[in-house]
Every structure is written in C-alpha cells, then in structure tokens.
Amino acid sequence: MTDQQTTTGPRSTTAWALGGVAVVVAIGALVRFLEQAVPDAAADTAWAEIAEAVEYPVYAILLGLLGNVLLTVTGLRERLSGGFRTEFFIKTGLVLLGASIDFSVIVRAAGPAVLQALVLITAVFGFTWWLGGKLGVDDKLRALLASAVSICGVSAAIAAAGAVQAKKEQLAYTASLVILFALPSIFLLPAAVSALGLSPAVGGAWIGGNIDTTAAVSAAGAIVGEEALQIATIVKTTQNALLGVVAVALTAYFALKVERTGSARPGVRDFWERFPKFVLGFLAASIIATVFIGVVGSDAARPLISDVNAFRTTFLILAFVSIGLEFRVAPLRDAGWRPVGVFAAATGVNLAVGLGLAVLLFSGVTI
C-alpha cells in the first residue's frame, strides 16, 4: 500500500507535472533554435523568403503535435499533462502584450485607425457570428472564430476562449485556422497592393486590418515598404487594444443569454467569475507602458519594451507548444467543413470591407 501511495500520491503527481513543464520548455527551446537557424540556413536560396516568413507559432504547434504523438505512443502523455499549462502561459503572454501598446501613438499618428478598427471589427465579427449560427456551428466555437478573424488572430481567440469558457480543442482548432490563412497572406496581400496600385498608407492599412497575427502583419508590411509597415502596425495595434472590449462583451453575452438558466438573472459575482481576469492585467500593462513612454521618451523606453516583447514571445511559444501537446482530434471530428467555411467566408468579407475602409480613411495619409 505504501509503495502504491508513493507512486500515485502528491509527490509523484508533482514530479510528473514538473516533467511536463520540462518537456514544454525543451520543445520551446527547439522552436527558438529553428526560428533563427532555418532562415540562416535558407539564406541565398529559393526558400529564403518562405523561411523568413514562417513564424514561431508554426514551429511551436507542429512540434507540440509531434510531441503529442510521441508521448501518446510511449504512454507518457497523460502522466505529463499536468505540466502542459496552456492557460497560464498564454495569459501571461497576453498581459505582456499590453506593454507594447501605446495608445497615445495610435491617436496621434493615425486617428483613422480607430474608426477603421471599430467598423471592421463590428462588421466582420457580426458576419462571422451570423454565418456560424446559420450553419449550426457551436456558439463557443463561433465566438472564437469571430474574434480571431475580426481582431487579432490567436490572441483574440484565446481571450474569447476565456470569456466563453471554450474547450481547449476548440482553441487549438481556431489557432490552426488562423495560421493556415495568415501564412499565404504574407505574400498575397503585398502582391495585391502592388497589382491594385495602392498607396503605401492604404496598402499598410489594408494589411494591418486583415492579417490575423501581428508578426505576419509586420512581415507583409515590410515587403510593401517602411511607410506601409508603420501604418500596418498602428492599425493592428489599434485592433489589439480593442481585445479587452470584445472579451467583456462576450463574457456578458454568454453569462446573460447563451448559458443563462431559469428566470434568475446572473449576479455580479457570476459575471466576475466568468470574466477573464488577465484582461485587467492586459489593460494595466498598456496604461503603464503608455505612461512610462510619456515620462522617459520613446527612445529611452524602446530597449525595455523590446525586452518585454521578447519575454512575451517566450511565453507565447510555450503556450503554442502546450496547445499542440494537449490537442485532441476526437472532440472536433463532428465539426466537418462548416467552421472552415465560416472562417474562409469571413476572411473574404474582411478583405473586401477592409480594402474599402483603407481607401476611404487612409488615401492621402502620410506619416
């Protein structure tokens, strides 16, 4: 009895959980290595641009999935699963994301970005939610799809997942769709900007409003040019800043309507329990960064903000690795083509509405 308790008791559980954390960190280190080594190895070859464009979420999720398979085959996955702390890693990363958002720069440099973000997010989110409902997509999954395609990709999906208490499999599914659609956009949108003869500001605003990850936005904007890159970054940053607003709205909607039982209205305590607390940290980090930059100046603050961003990337890598390690195919087998169809259709609407807003609001804008 004593031996059995020793192998299955708290100490054993803690040891396996620590082992799981070690697996996540080891895979994360490999992701970091590949992120730097692959572009260097592919330099001056036909694969150079592709190697440069592949982002760390791709390596992290793929290696996480590979680790998932290997650990499952060896029978170790369930024992180590206590260390796959996706929620902790991603929420920490998102709080740190707030430190890169300076609201004063957004308002001062590109006021039209705020209007574009509000209109674009409202239109695309509404269309995605409506189409998902028409096609019978689960409410939680369509909340993740709508948030991801209309705001800022995986980060928005994670915030929505916390607000609506979605399953981890639904989050992994949405993250995979985001990456699948974002990668070709890095090359296709700059080509479209050139083919349509758009100005750098309009092209940058279109890219920033449509590509779903900040890193991919930076890559696509850089292909077009420096001015396009700056506008694209400001537009995407504005959308990121609205992440907390959408999370609050989703929390209220699901608490008051979707999952409400009986005639009693949920109280403040019920709402607070569902509210993703990390959003407060996200907003606090944004405010602190804005005040800090205002006090010491952008040049003096840049090295520290850069360090915070690197730290954030580390946590996001660990989160994406954990998503791959935790992923399960079985719960999503019944999803079929509908979520993919919803995401693809919403991406088309996002492109069309985003182009119209970019032309309307950014024609003639220079920075």
Side-chain angles (χ1 to χ4, degrees), residues 144-199:
L144 268 61
L145 295 173
S147 299
V149 74
S150 66
I151 309 174
C152 53
V154 177
S155 297
I158 292 164
V164 306
Q165 299 178 359
K167 297 177 181 178
K168 293 176 181 178
E169 292 82 4
Q170 292 174 321
L171 177 57
Y173 186 88
T174 304
S176 299
L177 285 178
V178 168
I179 294 170
L180 179 65
F181 279 78
L183 286 178
S185 297
I186 294 174
F187 304 102
L188 294 178
L189 258 66
V193 168
S194 177
L196 295 172
L198 302 179
S199 69

Side-chain angles (χ1 to χ4, degrees), residues 7 9-25 71 76-86 89 322 325:
T7 57
R11 290 185 179 179
S12 177
T13 301
T14 300
W16 281 111
L18 291 175
V21 173
V23 169
V24 174
V25 172
L71 292 176
L76 295 175
R77 193 206 160 278
E78 291 303 324
R79 293 184 178 184
L80 295 170
S81 61
F84 306 156
R85 306 300 298 272
T86 302
F89 293 137
S322 297
L325 290 169

